[in-house]
Amino acid sequence: MDSQTSQASQPSPSPQSPHTFQVDLRGLVDLLSHHLYSSPKVYLRELLQNAVDAVTARRADEPGAPARVRLYAEGGALRVEDTGVGLTEADVHSLLATIGRSSKRAEGLEEARSDFLGQFGIGLLACFVVAERIRVVSRSARTPGAPPVEWTASDDGSYTVRTLPDAERPEPGTTVHLVARAGAAEWLAPGRVVELARDFGSLLPYDVRVGDEAVTDLPAPWDRPYPGPAARRVALARHCNDLFGFTPLDTIDLSVPLAGIRGVAYVLPSAVSPAQRAGHRVHLKGMLLTERAEQLLPDWAFFVRCVLDTDSLRPTASREALYEDETLAGVREALGERIRAWLTGLAAGDPERLAAFLAVHHLGVKSLARHDREMLRTMLPWLPFETTDGRLSLEEFAQRHAVVHFTRTVEEYRQVAPIASAQGIGVINGGYTYDSELVQALPSVRPGTVVAELDAETVTAHLDAVDPAEELALSGFLAAARARLDPLGCDVVLRSFHPLSVPALHLDDRDARHEQARADAEAQADDLWAGILGSLRGSAPRARLVLNHLNPLVRRISALPDPELIGTAAESLYGQALLMAQRPLRPADSALLNRAFIGLLEWATHSEDGQA
């Protein structure tokens, strides 16, 4: 839309020449409100930012210049006054021309903001997300003889620029007047303005007030003097609760002087998923940039929430996120080092606090340790693992066992743990997140340690073989059991092992499970897919049911004369072994358990031929 200008008469008798700009202001407002900013509340941040930057610009020329920003909200209108550098009429025209050029392409917004952020530019136009009219009265501190200038714009895309008599603005600075658009009056209400101003501007370096209420709260909580460490922890815990709504387990100072970063990381009091993206609060030169900075820390540091102030990181065009560049990558690495150093310090000097932390966040430390050998070495005495000897660290477990055996899945561990323990084989459950990777990395930080994966073959090899003569005598029993379980893809073997109370052990490995899954799919597929799946048949070992020859029940079953009853008993032992291993049951397994249960009931209640 073509926008128009008009000029008011000036104290000078010289007429002012009219100016016309080709600016699609309505299109730019639409771009800002619907595509650049996530919430209407950012309008106040932009007003504060423009005012603060204007004060900063003036103080660069006049170090003793006043540094005030005042906000007044009343009756659906807002007035923001600053003592900043101000604008001349030529400045206003230059800015409008720049806005006109940048509106043609969205990527031009960032350049425009970079050049004119401290004046009114793109940031001021953000106010149209809540205002139907904006009026700016400004007087330049750099050109004392220049008269005040007024810029008035409406949300329909029209605007005017004119100069004013000196009395309209005697002192340098800028005043912005907003009138709420329909349905947006709540954003200009006094209470909301105070809330937003404190949220965005609490760390700003100048005197900012809404009416008589102070907005800034300096120095920042992490920079204030305290009577002692305990008082500081209490104060920061209160600050964390006010910001994030939780009381932290601990507080980590984050200071990177070379990057102009100061702040704190608060350790979460409860466990969170590693996949959950943490939202951190980042202030840029005192102004809140975002509450949801996700890329600030390494992924492994998901157990903390940060709040910090920086003067080096680069914002995106909307000033609601951090721009991913080399500086941010360097800061991320440096902040990760601070958190790593905190963990190392706890391990060296405060084991009680470390134990309390690991009880909640051992997963995060394991995630770090699998990539950081030094961290793994430091945490070896502390990281807990599920083992057949109880919950131990890798260091304690390795001291007890010449070979560190582990399983890759929880199911495999549940299968072998009771039997392996009885045979004197120590096993670590590597089925939990990161655990198998850390166990395999153990030799790299503990030279001489032998690590071996424990599979079904290894467990079976550690079980005592039955005397060949005795096994031959039970060949009929074994044949009947094998015939019944063969359709389930399971072999039957006889061994002697402890504890005696375990009648049978179900063992398989991943290859056997994959082969069984393929066979199940083949049985349910049509002819075409059955042929394809059949061609994928492997030679992987099958699952096996290991019967305990030392168990009294197995001995009694092996003496039964009826092959049908032996088959039913074998099915029952198979189902019981699956339940002991806490394995998920396939439909065929559930049907077998039901069939075996009914069969045993029929046998127990059968009264013919003297059976009771």
Side-chain angles (χ1 to χ4, degrees):
M1 171 184 295
D2 288 348
S3 297
Q4 58 194 7
T5 64
S6 65
Q7 298 293 327
S9 62
Q10 300 300 309
S12 169
S14 303
Q16 297 290 318
S17 301
H19 300 273
T20 303
F21 301 94
Q22 300 296 320
V23 179
D24 184 3
L25 186 56
R26 177 177 292 176
L28 185 56
V29 169
D30 178 75
L31 176 65
L32 292 170
S33 59
H34 295 101
H35 303 288
L36 191 62
Y37 296 113
S38 62
S39 167
K41 71 179 183 180
V42 298
Y43 89 92
L44 194 64
R45 182 195 64 199
E46 298 299 334
L47 287 174
L48 284 176
Q49 187 69 67
N50 285 345
V52 168
D53 287 350
V55 171
T56 301
R58 184 177 181 187
R59 283 207 151 186
D61 299 330
E62 306 174 51
R68 298 187 304 272
V69 179
R70 297 289 184 266
L71 296 87
Y72 303 94
E74 184 178 2
L78 176 66
R79 185 173 86 254
V80 181
E81 299 179 354
D82 69 64
T83 57
V85 70
L87 300 167
T88 64
E89 183 186 5
D91 293 333
V92 172
H93 292 319
S94 175
L95 290 170
L96 289 174
T98 301
I99 293 170
R101 290 195 301 271
S102 65
S103 68
K104 298 182 187 304
R105 297 188 64 185
E107 58 265 29
L109 290 174
E110 187 172 352
E111 181 182 355
R113 292 201 53 109
S114 174
D115 292 341
F116 300 105
L117 180 63
Q119 297 170 46
F120 63 86
I122 299 297
L124 183 63
L125 294 186
C127 296
F128 276 120
V129 300
V130 298
E132 70 175 9
R133 187 169 69 256
I134 300 174
R135 178 173 174 257
V136 177
V137 177
S138 186
R139 183 162 193 164
S140 175
R142 289 175 175 165
T143 312
V149 61
E150 178 192 70
W151 178 80
T152 304
S154 300
D155 61 0
D156 63 0
S158 63
Y159 64 86
T160 62
V161 178
R162 61 176 183 149
T163 56
L164 301 174
D166 289 346
E168 292 285 339
R169 178 83 197 191
E171 300 296 327
T174 300
T175 302
V176 179
H177 304 261
L178 301 186
V179 177
R181 66 192 311 163
E186 62 170 304
W187 294 105
L188 274 63
R192 178 61 66 90
V193 170
V194 171
E195 174 191 342
L196 293 178
R198 285 179 174 166
D199 193 39
F200 286 122
S202 62
L203 300 185
L204 290 174
Y206 303 129
D207 178 15
V208 181
R209 297 175 183 269
V210 178
D212 295 326
E213 295 189 49
V215 167
T216 51
D217 187 20
L218 294 177
W222 50 85
D223 286 331
R224 295 173 190 169
Y226 296 98
R232 187 175 190 271
R233 279 197 297 270
V234 170
L236 289 178
R238 188 181 306 115
H239 177 248
C240 176
N241 194 66
D242 291 341
L243 282 185
F244 298 117
F246 66 84
T247 300
L249 276 180
D250 208 345
T251 300
I252 308 169
D253 282 304
L254 302 178
S255 177
V256 187
L258 291 178
I261 285 178
R262 285 284 298 157
V264 290
Y266 293 118
V267 182
L268 291 166
S270 56
V272 294
S273 167
Q276 179 177 331
R277 302 296 294 180
H280 308 291
R281 288 177 64 94
V282 177
H283 295 255
L284 182 59
K285 298 179 182 180
M287 182 70 71
L288 178 66
L289 180 71
T290 178
E291 301 172 278
R292 301 183 300 275
E294 296 182 349
Q295 70 273 47
L296 185 66
L297 295 181
D299 288 342
W300 55 261
F302 54 82
F303 49 83
V304 298
R305 295 292 181 271
C306 296
V307 54
L308 54 83
D309 188 25
T310 175
D311 58 15
S312 65
L313 296 180
R314 180 182 171 192
T316 59
S318 67
R319 292 179 55 80
E320 295 184 278
L322 295 171
Y323 190 84
E324 186 66 53
D325 57 11
E326 292 183 359
T327 301
L328 179 56
V331 165
R332 183 162 49 236
E333 182 177 350
L335 295 179
E337 285 295 333
R338 300 298 183 275
I339 298 174
R340 183 184 286 105
W342 169 77
L343 283 170
T344 304
L346 288 186
D350 201 338
E352 290 186 3
R353 283 170 68 198
L354 178 63
F357 167 74
L358 289 177
V360 178
H361 295 298
H362 59 276
L363 198 60
V365 179
K366 286 180 177 180
S367 174
L368 170 60
R370 67 194 176 120
H371 297 301
D372 189 323
R373 291 294 178 260
E374 189 57 39
M375 181 55 63
L376 177 58
R377 184 179 291 107
T378 301
M379 291 291 120
L380 272 180
W382 307 103
L383 288 175
F385 289 77
E386 182 180 356
T387 79
T388 50
D389 294 350
R391 199 159 180 81
L392 299 176
S393 69
L394 288 181
E395 179 65 30
E396 291 175 292
F397 190 84
Q399 290 174 358
R400 296 185 184 189
H401 299 277
V403 178
V404 178
H405 287 99
F406 74 98
T407 62
R408 290 187 181 274
T409 68
V410 174
E411 290 80 6
E412 290 172 353
Y413 178 79
R414 288 170 177 166
Q415 286 179 34
V416 304
I419 308 304
S421 179
Q423 309 305 311
I425 305 172
V427 185
I428 296 175
N429 183 356
Y432 296 113
T433 306
Y434 310 132
D435 283 8
S436 62
E437 296 175 71
L438 293 175
V439 174
Q440 292 177 89
L442 189 55
S444 68
V445 296
R446 197 177 188 275
T449 303
V450 179
V451 174
E453 183 176 356
L454 188 67
D455 54 18
E457 292 288 346
T458 305
V459 174
T460 305
H462 277 79
L463 304 180
D464 295 333
V466 177
D467 180 85
E470 291 188 51
E471 186 167 1
L472 182 61
L474 297 175
S475 58
F477 158 70
L478 293 174
R482 286 167 180 156
R484 185 61 65 91
L485 297 183
D486 182 71
L488 297 171
C490 183
D491 292 333
V492 177
V493 297
L494 190 65
R495 293 288 188 273
S496 297
F497 56 87
H498 293 272
L500 301 181
S501 59
V502 177
L505 176 66
H506 182 272
L507 293 177
D508 63 3
D509 54 25
R510 278 162 294 162
D511 290 338
R513 288 195 291 275
H514 291 162
E515 175 60 21
Q516 184 60 58
R518 185 209 58 77
D520 291 343
E522 180 182 357
Q524 299 174 16
D526 57 27
D527 292 342
L528 174 60
W529 282 108
I532 294 173
L533 292 168
S535 68
L536 300 177
R537 183 180 297 113
S539 58
R542 305 201 322 161
R544 63 191 64 182
L545 182 68
V546 184
L547 300 178
N548 188 359
H549 187 53
L550 302 180
N551 180 266
L553 176 61
V554 171
R555 285 179 173 272
R556 289 197 294 271
I557 293 173
S558 66
L560 292 172
D562 184 356
E564 186 65 26
L565 185 55
I566 289 175
T568 300
E571 288 180 333
S572 300
L573 291 173
Y574 172 84
Q576 187 265 350
L578 286 179
L579 295 174
M580 278 188 59
Q582 301 182 47
R583 289 287 303 278
L585 299 180
R586 299 170 297 163
D589 297 329
S590 299
L592 174 145
L593 281 171
N594 183 64
R595 183 172 63 249
F597 178 72
I598 297 299
L600 290 176
L601 283 178
E602 291 179 347
W603 174 77
T605 56
H606 191 57
S607 58
E608 293 181 5
D609 299 326
Q611 297 185 46

